[in-house]
Amino acid sequence: MKQITIAIHGGAGPDSRLIRENQDGIKQGLASSLQKGYDILEKGGSSVEAVEAAVAEMENNPLFNAGRGAALNRHGETELEASIMNGHTLGCGAVALVKKVKNPVKLARVVMEHTNHILIAGPAAYEFAVDQNVELETDEYFITEERWKEFMEQKDKASAADLLRQPHHGTIGAVAMDKNGHLAAATSTGGTGNHLPGRIADVAMIGCGCYANDLTCAVSGTGDGEQLVHTVLAHSIAAVIRHTKCTIQNACDIMVPLKRKDMTADVGVIAVGPAGDIGCTFNCERMPRASMGTNIPMQVKIYR
Amino acid sequence: MKQITIAIHGGAGPDSRLIRENQDGIKQGLASSLQKGYDILEKGGSSVEAVEAAVAEMENNPLFNAGRGAALNRHGETELEASIMNGHTLGCGAVALVKKVKNPVKLARVVMEHTNHILIAGPAAYEFAVDQNVELETDEYFITEERWKEFMEQKDKASAADLLRQPHHGTIGAVAMDKNGHLAAATSTGGTGNHLPGRIADVAMIGCGCYANDLTCAVSGTGDGEQLVHTVLAHSIAAVIRHTKCTIQNACDIMVPLKRKDMTADVGVIAVGPAGDIGCTFNCERMPRASMGTNIPMQVKIYR
C-alpha cells in the first residue's frame, strides 16, 4: 500500500475554560474527525475528499468554532467561512459570510469544482447553496448554549470601534496526502465572538489560511487572522520549501513567528509534504490537533 | 534627493473596441494618475499615499474598470473591490462588494490603518464608510453609458450556471517606492461585466492581486482572477526574490505564466523593488501601464 497521511487542528489560541472543561470531548472529536478522513484515504479516496470529510465532522461538532458551535457575531448570528484547495490541480474555492449552510467546507468544494469563481460571499453564497442542493439548517441549529451565553455577556461591552481593533481567531482545518501522492488542505471558521458582521478573515484568503500544492505542501493555518494575512502564511511555508528544499517541520518553524514582547499574535499551522511528512508549529498555549499516517500512529493533543 | 519610483496599470486582458477607440484618453488617464502619485512622492509623501492617490485617480476616470466606469454585475449594479498594503509595516486592508463608495481604495486604507480587520465586505463596508466619513456617490454616478449598454446587451445571454464558469478580470493598480525606501501596492476593480453578485475576486485576497514588503517588492496583479489566486501570484513574486535574489523583472517573468494552448488565462503584473527598479510582465494583448522614477523617464503604453 502506498503511504497516506492526514493531520487536523481545532484552532490555535489562548487556553480557555471551554477548552479545559471539555478536554475529553475535544480529544474524542479530533480522533473521530481524523479517523473519518483517514478511512477515506485508506479506501483510496482523494485527499480533497478526506480533508472535506474531516473538516465537516468538526463543523458538526459544537465543541469547535466552525459550523455548529461557531462564535456569534455582534448581531448574535453565525457568519461562517471556509476554504479548500486541491494541490494536484491548484483549484481552490471559498465561501464567506454564509448562514444556514450546515457544512461551509462542502459549499467551498462546490465553488472549487463547479464554478470559475474562487470566493462567493453573503446572500449570494446562500443562494448558490440552495441552487446546488447543499444541506441547510435553521439558524438555531448553529447556536449552542455556550456561544449564546458568551454573546449575551459580551454584547454591550464594546463599541463598534473597539471591535474593529480586536484581533480575531478560532479556526479548524485539515491537510492530507492520498495514495496517489496528491495533497489537499481545508480550513473553516465561525470567526471571533462578537465580531462585526461583514468581516472576512484569513480563512477565505487562499495562500493565507489555506494552501496546497503537490510540489511543496498542503497547509492549514490558524490563530489571529491578521497575522496570517500579513505574512501570507500558508503560501510562505510552501515558498520556503520550494526555494530552499528544507523539511516541512523546518518550514513551519521558520515561518510561524515566535512570540515577542511587542507581538501578541497567536499563530499555528499544520502541514503535510509530498512524502507524507507532517509539520506542526504553534506559538501559543493550545492548538488541539491530531495526526496519523501509514507509518505514523494516531496522535491527539491539545497543549504542548 | 533619494530615489523614488511609481508604476501603475489599467488591467491586463484581450484587446477591445472600448480600448482601441479610447487610446488617447486611456494614455492621458494613465499619465495624469501616474503624475498624481509621483508628485506626492516628490514632496516626500509616503508610498502608501502615492499608490492610494494614483489608484483613486483611475477610479474617478470612467475609462478604467474600477470606481466610476466599473463593469456592472448581473443585477446591473456596481460591486467594487479594492486592497492596499504597506510594505514597511506589512499592514494591509481590503473591501469587497462595496456600493456607493467613491474611492474603494481609500476605504481599504481606512480598514488598514484604523481597524484590526483585513477585509470588510457587503453592507458592512458601506456602514463602515459612512461611519468613517469616506466620500459617497449615488449609484448612478458609477454607471457610464458604455457600461450600461454592455449590461443591456449581455444581461439575458447567460444563465447563472454559465456565469459561474466565466473567467473574470479587469483591474487597476499601482506600486511605489518613496524617499525612505518604503514600498506600497494598491489594486482596485469593478469585476467582470455581468458577474454574479457576491463574487469576490483576487483583488481582495492579500498575496494574490496585491502584496508589498520592503524586503522584496510591491506587486499589483491583474488578469483572470482565478489564475492569480491559484498561483498566489503577488506573493510568489516576492518569495522568488526573497529566496533566489533574482531581479524584479526576472521574478515577474518567471511567475507570470506564458500562454499555452491549453491555458487561456490572461495575467499581468507591475512591481517595484527596494532599489526602485521596476518589473512589468503580461501574457496577453494589452495592459495599459505607465511608470516613472528619479532616473526613469515617464513611459505610457497600452500594447506591447
Side-chain angles (χ1 to χ4, degrees):
Chain A
M1 186 182 119
K2 286 197 187 155
Q3 211 174 312
I4 54 176
T5 311
I6 183 164
I8 63 175
H9 70 79
D15 196 16
S16 72
R17 188 183 50 76
L18 183 69
I19 293 172
R20 276 193 307 278
E21 288 178 1
N22 291 286
Q23 290 188 48
D24 290 347
I26 289 170
K27 283 186 179 173
Q28 278 161 26
L30 289 168
S32 75
S33 301
L34 190 78
Q35 193 67 54
K36 201 119 184 173
Y38 192 81
D39 289 348
I40 288 171
L41 296 172
E42 210 168 26
K43 285 177 195 141
S46 73
S47 52
V48 168
E49 288 169 65
V51 295
E52 180 196 39
V55 167
E57 184 83 0
M58 285 189 281
E59 286 175 341
N60 295 344
N61 187 330
L63 288 173
F64 298 102
N65 179 14
R68 188 170 189 212
L72 303 182
N73 71 15
R74 190 177 176 72
H75 295 176
E77 303 161 340
T78 48
E79 275 185 330
L80 307 171
E81 187 172 332
S83 58
I84 192 164
M85 188 159 182
N86 179 332
H88 179 44
T89 62
L90 301 187
C92 44
V95 292
L97 311 179
V98 173
K99 293 175 202 283
K100 295 192 178 66
V101 172
K102 186 180 181 191
N103 293 113
V105 71
K106 292 187 181 178
L107 186 58
R109 187 177 171 194
V110 178
V111 172
M112 169 170 82
E113 295 182 351
H114 299 285
T115 82
N116 250 324
H117 296 283
I118 303 283
L119 170 55
I120 302 181
Y126 168 74
E127 281 169 43
F128 179 61
V130 171
D131 188 60
Q132 299 285 318
N133 288 316
V134 168
E135 195 175 355
L136 303 178
E137 287 287 351
T138 63
D139 291 330
E140 287 66 37
Y141 161 85
F142 297 94
I143 304 180
T144 60
E145 202 187 317
E146 184 74 34
R147 292 296 187 187
W148 185 253
K149 241 168 48 194
E150 186 183 279
F151 165 69
M152 291 300 278
E153 279 164 17
Q154 293 179 353
K155 73 180 168 50
D156 299 320
K157 281 197 182 151
S159 70
D162 291 339
L163 293 183
L164 284 168
R165 287 186 196 92
Q166 263 180 15
H168 38 77
H169 53 251
T171 311
I172 63 163
V175 292
M177 185 189 74
D178 62 30
K179 282 185 182 173
N180 294 315
H182 297 320
L183 306 180
T187 308
S188 181
T189 186
T192 316
N194 210 14
H195 67 270
L196 279 195
R199 194 259 308 165
I200 300 180
D202 57 289
V203 170
M205 292 197 194
I206 301 298
C208 298
C210 178
Y211 184 72
N213 186 332
D214 278 3
L215 298 177
T216 50
C217 60
V219 181
S220 175
T222 168
D224 294 325
E226 206 180 27
Q227 187 63 33
L228 274 79
V229 179
H230 287 168
T231 54
V232 193
L233 185 64
H235 186 261
S236 288
I237 291 172
V240 73
I241 292 170
R242 172 171 175 175
H243 294 293
T244 73
K245 315 282 175 217
C246 69
T247 66
I248 298 284
Q249 185 57 51
N250 229 312
C252 294
D253 291 341
I254 292 168
M255 288 302 161
V256 170
L258 289 175
K259 280 251 183 151
R260 302 182 313 257
K261 272 187 187 158
D262 59 336
M263 203 268 281
T264 52
D266 294 331
V267 178
V269 292
I270 52 167
V272 60
D277 40 334
I278 292 168
C280 173
T281 304
F282 60 107
N283 72 359
C284 44
E285 290 174 349
R286 54 86 186 167
M287 181 171 78
R289 61 203 183 277
S291 57
M292 177 157 56
T294 310
N295 303 312
I296 309 167
M298 186 191 281
Q299 259 210 349
V300 182
K301 283 184 172 178
I302 294 177
Y303 303 105
R304 301 214 155 263
Chain B
M1 187 182 119
K2 286 196 188 156
Q3 210 174 311
I4 54 175
T5 311
I6 184 164
I8 63 173
H9 70 79
D15 196 17
S16 73
R17 189 183 50 77
L18 182 69
I19 293 172
R20 276 193 308 278
E21 287 178 1
N22 291 286
Q23 290 187 48
D24 289 349
I26 289 170
K27 282 185 179 173
Q28 278 162 27
L30 288 168
S32 75
S33 301
L34 189 79
Q35 194 68 53
K36 200 119 186 174
Y38 192 82
D39 289 349
I40 289 171
L41 295 173
E42 210 167 26
K43 285 179 194 139
S46 73
S47 51
V48 168
E49 287 169 66
V51 295
E52 181 195 39
V55 166
E57 185 82 359
M58 285 190 279
E59 286 175 340
N60 295 344
N61 187 330
L63 288 173
F64 298 103
N65 179 14
R68 188 171 188 211
L72 303 181
N73 70 16
R74 188 176 178 73
H75 295 175
E77 304 161 339
T78 48
E79 276 186 330
L80 307 171
E81 188 172 332
S83 58
I84 191 165
M85 187 158 182
N86 179 331
H88 180 46
T89 63
L90 300 187
C92 43
V95 293
L97 311 179
V98 172
K99 294 175 202 284
K100 295 191 179 65
V101 172
K102 187 181 182 192
N103 293 113
V105 70
K106 292 188 181 178
L107 186 58
R109 186 176 172 194
V110 179
V111 172
M112 170 171 82
E113 293 182 352
H114 298 287
T115 81
N116 249 323
H117 296 283
I118 303 282
L119 170 56
I120 302 181
Y126 168 77
E127 281 170 43
F128 179 61
V130 171
D131 188 61
Q132 299 285 318
N133 287 316
V134 169
E135 196 175 353
L136 303 179
E137 287 288 353
T138 63
D139 291 329
E140 287 66 37
Y141 162 85
F142 297 94
I143 303 181
T144 60
E145 203 188 316
E146 184 75 35
R147 292 296 187 187
W148 184 255
K149 241 168 46 194
E150 185 183 279
F151 166 68
M152 291 300 278
E153 279 163 18
Q154 292 179 354
K155 72 180 170 46
D156 299 319
K157 280 197 184 151
S159 70
D162 291 340
L163 293 182
L164 284 166
R165 287 186 196 92
Q166 263 180 14
H168 37 78
H169 52 249
T171 312
I172 62 163
V175 292
M177 185 188 75
D178 62 30
K179 281 185 182 173
N180 294 315
H182 297 319
L183 306 180
T187 308
S188 180
T189 186
T192 316
N194 210 13
H195 67 270
L196 278 193
R199 195 258 307 166
I200 300 180
D202 56 290
V203 170
M205 292 196 193
I206 300 300
C208 298
C210 177
Y211 183 73
N213 186 332
D214 278 3
L215 298 177
T216 50
C217 60
V219 182
S220 175
T222 167
D224 294 325
E226 205 180 29
Q227 187 64 31
L228 275 79
V229 178
H230 287 168
T231 54
V232 194
L233 186 64
H235 185 262
S236 287
I237 291 172
V240 73
I241 292 169
R242 172 171 176 175
H243 294 294
T244 73
K245 314 283 174 217
C246 68
T247 67
I248 298 284
Q249 186 57 51
N250 229 314
C252 294
D253 291 340
I254 292 168
M255 288 301 161
V256 170
L258 290 176
K259 280 251 183 151
R260 300 183 314 258
K261 273 188 186 156
D262 60 335
M263 205 266 280
T264 52
D266 294 332
V267 178
V269 293
I270 52 167
V272 61
D277 39 335
I278 292 169
C280 173
T281 304
F282 60 107
N283 72 359
C284 43
E285 289 173 349
R286 54 86 187 166
M287 182 170 79
R289 61 203 182 277
S291 57
M292 178 156 55
T294 311
N295 302 312
I296 309 167
M298 186 192 282
Q299 260 210 348
V300 183
K301 284 185 173 178
I302 295 179
Y303 303 103
R304 301 216 156 262

